[in-house]
Amino acid sequence: MNHLNSMEPGPRPVTPPGPDVSRRSGRAHKAILAATRELVAEVGYQRLTIEGIASAAGVGKQTIYRWWRSKAAILFDAVLDANSQEDGSVELPNTGDVEADLRLVLRESVAAMVDPDNDRLQRAITAEIQTDLAVAGELVRRLLRPQLDATQARIAAGIRDGQVDGSVDPGMVAELLFGPVFHRWLLRTGDLDDAFADGVLDLVLTGIRPR
Amino acid sequence: MNHLNSMEPGPRPVTPPGPDVSRRSGRAHKAILAATRELVAEVGYQRLTIEGIASAAGVGKQTIYRWWRSKAAILFDAVLDANSQEDGSVELPNTGDVEADLRLVLRESVAAMVDPDNDRLQRAITAEIQTDLAVAGELVRRLLRPQLDATQARIAAGIRDGQVDGSVDPGMVAELLFGPVFHRWLLRTGDLDDAFADGVLDLVLTGIRPR
């Protein structure tokens, strides 16, 4: 479970947390995040309200305010909760074939981005981070950076295996792969599908100089 | 002067437009767009109001409502007005050296994005287009697409000159160049400077396969 630690100290049960209390607490927390995701997909972020989330999650408004200080903070946790591993770690497959592994990851990213529910959720958070620098920093630190770092690590392994040129900066390659996909998704410049993901990867592999 | 034609029919003088009227009209139009850019940089988009723009531009609110239906529509014209040529066309330099020309263009894009005033303006419009699909479509059609098309044309010329491999899709290359720059700017994943622009270009030129 992800929680916006730096903005909010996290669950603070008012009674000592016996097993039942913390189990109920965990269920309520999950229900609130799930309700937030469903409501954003349904009505959009602008019409999302704390009251609406409380009602959909079957909890009182005070339960929400115990854990989050704002609509943006809940949204952010809802996005993280839907996109991260339980322990927050991200690891890319390593089948020994860097091209195949990166192709799979890029295609999976595209599939996740075009999923209609996820699309609305991600657009809401993207709009939010343009004005809220604290949320923007958290998003990068807790969601994007782990994904970029995992990709970077896979590319570094590709260098060790002799499948990627030793002179390239693995971190820059990670942004070269995800940047165009993000650009096309956010700005809707064209179709975002497997063909685009494959085209990006092929260009990054071979470059554009005459061969 | 750019105007959001598809959303709003444009200047509609209530009196027949003699030379003086249209000159005054043009000045007021320019003043409103300039005031919008200054106010967004100063107070942000969320606190921008039609009243504030009218006051800063020295016009009445009715003058603004004669030309634009919403705050988003003014913002959009203000962005276009600051970024486009008078006639809306965009053309990349062609010195005969595709690498040098693309390097210049990428560095100029980076410089424009990190300019503090422009940064706030662009972030406001980026947030806005996440929820307003009409504005998003106009932004792509009238601002991004011409830039991408001009880059694509320069790359196609590079293919004709034998400086770019004939098998690549020039449109995809354009997004491969601007995508990572946009990703880094929007998500603030790292330093956005000439070194990053150069690194992106170098990777796109040579690819990551072992050489």
Side-chain angles (χ1 to χ4, degrees), chain A residues 61-185:
Chain A
K61 272 173 63 177
Q62 282 318 308
T63 302
I64 293 180
Y65 283 120
R66 192 151 36 107
W67 291 325
W68 294 278
R69 60 164 195 178
S70 70
K71 202 172 83 164
I74 308 176
L75 175 72
F76 182 72
D77 271 6
V79 170
L80 277 172
D81 184 64
N83 284 277
S84 299
Q85 304 297 323
E86 279 294 305
D87 62 356
S89 70
V90 178
E91 202 168 339
L92 258 62
N94 187 341
T95 64
D97 179 344
V98 73
E99 178 174 340
D101 293 348
L102 292 176
R103 194 174 304 276
L104 182 70
V105 165
L106 267 192
R107 284 181 171 204
E108 280 179 353
S109 292
V110 164
M113 286 174 128
V114 299
D115 171 81
D117 287 355
N118 201 37
D119 180 270
R120 276 195 99 157
L121 197 62
Q122 299 278 0
R123 286 190 193 280
I125 197 97
T126 303
E128 192 63 28
I129 65 171
Q130 299 317 306
T131 50
D132 189 330
L133 284 181
V135 173
E138 285 295 298
L139 184 76
V140 170
R141 191 175 66 77
R142 299 187 56 204
L143 184 60
L144 297 177
R145 182 52 59 201
Q147 288 171 342
L148 289 171
D149 285 353
T151 307
Q152 179 173 344
R154 183 64 193 86
I155 292 158
I159 293 178
R160 287 193 297 277
D161 296 343
Q163 296 177 0
V164 174
D165 194 86
S167 71
V168 307
D169 172 349
M172 188 158 285
V173 177
E175 256 181 295
L176 207 71
L177 291 169
F178 288 111
V181 169
F182 181 78
H183 185 265
R184 185 160 276 214
W185 168 73

Side-chain angles (χ1 to χ4, degrees), chain A residues 46 99 123 126-127 129-131 133 136 140 144-145 148 162-165 167-168 172-173 175-176 178-180 182-184 186-189 196 199-200 203-211, chain B residues 46 99 123 126-127 129-131 133 136 140 144-145 148 162-165 167-168 172-173 175-176 178-180 182-184 186-189 196 199-200 203-211:
Chain A
Q46 285 172 324
E99 178 174 340
R123 286 190 193 280
T126 303
I129 65 171
Q130 299 317 306
T131 50
L133 284 181
V140 170
L144 297 177
R145 182 52 59 201
L148 289 171
Q163 296 177 0
V164 174
D165 194 86
S167 71
V168 307
M172 188 158 285
V173 177
E175 256 181 295
L176 207 71
F178 288 111
F182 181 78
H183 185 265
R184 185 160 276 214
L186 191 93
L187 301 171
R188 305 180 179 92
T189 45
F196 183 74
V200 167
L203 273 176
V204 170
L205 286 168
T206 56
I208 68 170
R209 282 217 172 98
R211 299 185 269 278
Chain B
Q46 285 172 324
E99 177 175 339
R123 288 189 192 278
T126 303
I129 65 170
Q130 300 317 306
T131 49
L133 284 181
V140 169
L144 297 176
R145 183 51 59 200
L148 288 171
Q163 296 176 359
V164 174
D165 194 86
S167 71
V168 307
M172 188 159 283
V173 176
E175 259 182 291
L176 207 71
F178 288 111
F182 181 77
H183 185 265
R184 185 160 278 212
L186 192 93
L187 301 172
R188 305 180 180 91
T189 45
F196 183 73
V200 168
L203 273 176
V204 170
L205 285 168
T206 56
I208 67 170
R209 281 215 172 99
R211 297 184 268 278

Side-chain angles (χ1 to χ4, degrees), chain A residues 11-34:
Chain A
R12 288 179 306 223
V14 285
T15 53
D20 279 1
V21 172
S22 61
R23 204 178 305 128
R24 264 205 312 278
S25 202
R27 272 202 305 270
H29 199 277
K30 279 277 178 204
I32 291 163
L33 296 181

